[in-house]
Amino acid sequence: MTQSSSSLLRFDDGAVQFRQRLVVSLLSHRPLLIRNIRSADLQHPGLKDYEASFLRLIDSMTNGTKMEINATGTQLKFRPGTLLGGEHHHECPDSRSIGWFLEGILPLAPFGKESLSITFTGLTDGCCETDPSPDYWQRSALPLFSHFGIGIDSDDDIAPLIKVLHRAAAPVSDHKGQVLFQCPMIRSQLQSIDLTDMGKIKRIRGNATSCKIVSSSMAARVAYAAKGVFHKLLPDVWIHTDVHTPKRHNCGPSPGMSLVVSSESTTGVVLTAECCMDHSKAGDRASMELPEDLGQRGACLLLEEIRRGGCIDTSSQSLAFLWMALTPEDVSRIRVGTLSQYSIETLRLIKKVFDVEFKVTPDLESTTVLLSCLGTGYRNMAKAST
């Protein structure tokens, strides 16, 4: 399949993998038709507000993109344009956190005419059960950028960056949080990868964050409990506490606590996990999760990622697989612990759009899965046209 292919991508199963389908349409330069978007929902059929917001974000990042949505919102016709890069500002609705939008554009970020810089406003914390937070992507996705050769050129004007400028916890915030995302463009192609050696865990790093919590010791209690679990296994553990208050840090009025922790191995493999306070119970002191329980839960989630093995954590698998398909015409390999259902759907989508088939080999000795593919030799055509 060539990048200039104009054959229509048609999906009749509604909003499944909505962001991923838009991403592959833009990267493959193929028009997209999505039908039956929540057509069975008689009360609220069609696109949700956050999906419409994501379409507006894509429109601002591209030139020449055309979208047609029918009267009920149950059908979308999408004709991709050219990725521009540049500086943008996007306001996210309270129905999804900034992390949801960030996850959607990460695969597109290096392929613009120029480097990309986006300032998101919206919710930053309290939604990690459904949407990975910006802190998670900062620790999990940025190491992937360097593996694929993004941001390693000394001539790049900016480095890959995900930075939380102001925090705002779910459910609703009048004072919006702010996240800055920057990514340099790739000048030609991604690098092939060979991430198969897991190594041994040598250190743990993390952040315990609190927003509008009465006692400033809450974040410290989360960090202390998490370190108590990790110190039974290794000594090099450091978890930073980050306390945000409305007066001093201009954070939102909703209370929130979260923990993001990462492990680094002797071969440079980074695995990340996170957990957060259930915002639906934030006002009920009787049922609210204790900081100690939150810290222990976050530590156990990371230990579970380590137990599964692999060279990448579960939520970042989809991003790695898509970029592997776009590498030069050489073999890329990666070892994962357990394939998530979302990752399996991504592999099927990559096969349909780019005609790239992954070889999946279970490793019974390490109980991991080794995946390999031959890249398509994808080039940054937006840069080449300038």
Side-chain angles (χ1 to χ4, degrees):
M1 190 191 101
T2 62
Q3 292 181 30
S4 60
S5 175
S6 59
S7 57
L8 178 68
L9 296 171
R10 175 169 175 160
F11 299 94
D12 297 321
D13 53 352
V16 179
Q17 285 195 306
F18 181 77
R19 295 166 300 170
Q20 284 282 72
R21 289 171 177 177
L22 291 170
V23 165
V24 297
S25 173
L26 282 161
L27 292 176
S28 63
H29 310 289
R30 296 173 63 179
L32 172 69
L33 173 63
I34 303 178
R35 302 179 62 203
N36 302 320
I37 301 174
R38 300 183 184 89
S39 55
D41 189 341
L42 299 180
Q43 293 185 340
H44 304 287
L47 294 169
K48 299 290 188 182
D49 62 339
Y50 53 87
E51 292 166 338
S53 179
F54 187 75
L55 288 173
R56 290 193 294 271
L57 173 60
I58 292 295
D59 186 53
S60 70
M61 292 172 55
T62 58
N63 181 37
T65 294
K66 296 182 179 179
M67 310 175 194
E68 294 181 20
I69 304 171
N70 67 355
T72 59
T74 57
Q75 178 174 295
L76 168 67
K77 292 180 180 178
F78 181 83
R79 184 171 292 276
T82 303
L83 288 164
L84 296 175
E87 295 186 8
H88 305 274
H89 182 279
H90 185 72
E91 185 170 345
C92 307
D94 288 339
S95 49
R96 299 305 286 256
S97 75
I98 292 175
W100 186 85
F101 292 86
L102 192 57
E103 180 181 11
I105 65 162
L106 281 175
L108 298 172
F111 298 105
K113 282 188 175 182
E114 55 183 335
S115 299
L116 178 68
S117 177
I118 304 180
T119 301
F120 293 94
T121 58
L123 299 176
T124 60
D125 296 86
C127 307
C128 67
E129 302 299 334
T130 55
D131 306 330
S133 69
D135 298 287
Y136 172 86
W137 291 120
Q138 189 269 333
R139 290 186 173 273
S140 177
L142 291 190
L144 265 183
F145 279 63
S146 59
H147 285 306
F148 283 96
I150 302 169
I152 63 173
D153 195 329
S154 59
D155 294 332
D156 290 334
D157 52 347
I158 59 175
L161 173 70
I162 300 174
K163 183 178 182 181
V164 179
L165 304 177
H166 299 292
R167 293 190 180 273
V172 179
S173 175
D174 295 329
H175 301 276
K176 301 294 185 180
Q178 274 193 340
V179 175
L180 174 64
F181 170 58
Q182 294 181 340
C183 179
M185 64 179 177
I186 58 168
R187 303 184 184 278
S188 180
Q189 291 179 296
L190 297 172
Q191 287 182 180
S192 300
I193 64 169
D194 187 15
L195 292 177
T196 56
D197 187 358
M198 297 180 288
K200 302 292 184 182
I201 304 302
K202 64 178 182 179
R203 65 168 67 101
I204 303 287
R205 296 292 183 265
N207 279 77
T209 305
S210 67
C211 295
K212 203 207 166 187
I213 298 293
V214 175
S215 174
S216 60
S217 67
M218 290 288 196
R221 289 167 62 186
V222 172
Y224 184 79
K227 287 189 288 186
V229 175
F230 292 132
H231 276 150
K232 297 177 182 178
L233 305 171
L234 75 168
D236 192 355
V237 179
W238 188 83
I239 299 177
H240 174 68
T241 57
D242 196 4
V243 180
H244 288 254
T245 60
K247 289 185 178 180
R248 292 185 59 189
H249 303 91
N250 196 29
C251 76
S254 300
M257 283 190 301
S258 63
L259 174 68
V260 182
V261 280
S262 299
S263 65
E264 184 180 337
S265 77
T266 52
T267 55
V269 169
V270 177
L271 299 176
T272 306
E274 70 171 337
C275 66
C276 60
M277 182 179 70
D278 186 352
H279 63 78
S280 64
K281 300 178 181 178
D284 185 358
R285 292 185 177 275
S287 59
M288 190 172 69
E289 186 175 24
L290 292 174
E292 289 77 10
D293 295 336
L294 183 69
Q296 291 176 3
R297 180 160 65 92
C300 291
L301 287 173
L302 179 59
L303 293 179
E304 175 61 19
E305 284 286 349
I306 296 172
R307 184 198 66 80
R308 291 173 183 169
C311 299
I312 189 172
D313 47 76
T314 307
S315 296
S316 295
Q317 290 176 5
S318 177
L319 175 62
F321 295 162
L322 180 55
W323 278 351
M324 285 172 66
L326 302 179
T327 53
E329 296 179 16
D330 194 4
V331 175
S332 288
R333 301 194 304 162
I334 193 168
R335 187 182 301 277
V336 302
T338 304
L339 277 172
S340 67
Q341 185 60 40
Y342 188 77
S343 299
I344 293 171
E345 294 296 330
T346 299
L347 292 174
R348 292 171 178 163
L349 184 63
I350 292 171
K351 168 64 177 174
K352 178 182 178 70
V353 178
F354 297 102
D355 197 27
V356 173
E357 189 168 338
F358 281 70
K359 181 180 179 182
V360 182
T361 308
D363 187 341
L364 299 181
E365 183 178 349
S366 63
T367 65
T368 58
V369 182
L370 186 65
L371 293 96
S372 60
C373 76
L374 188 65
T376 59
Y378 188 92
R379 291 183 177 274
N380 186 0
M381 302 305 293
K383 169 60 180 174
S385 64
T386 58

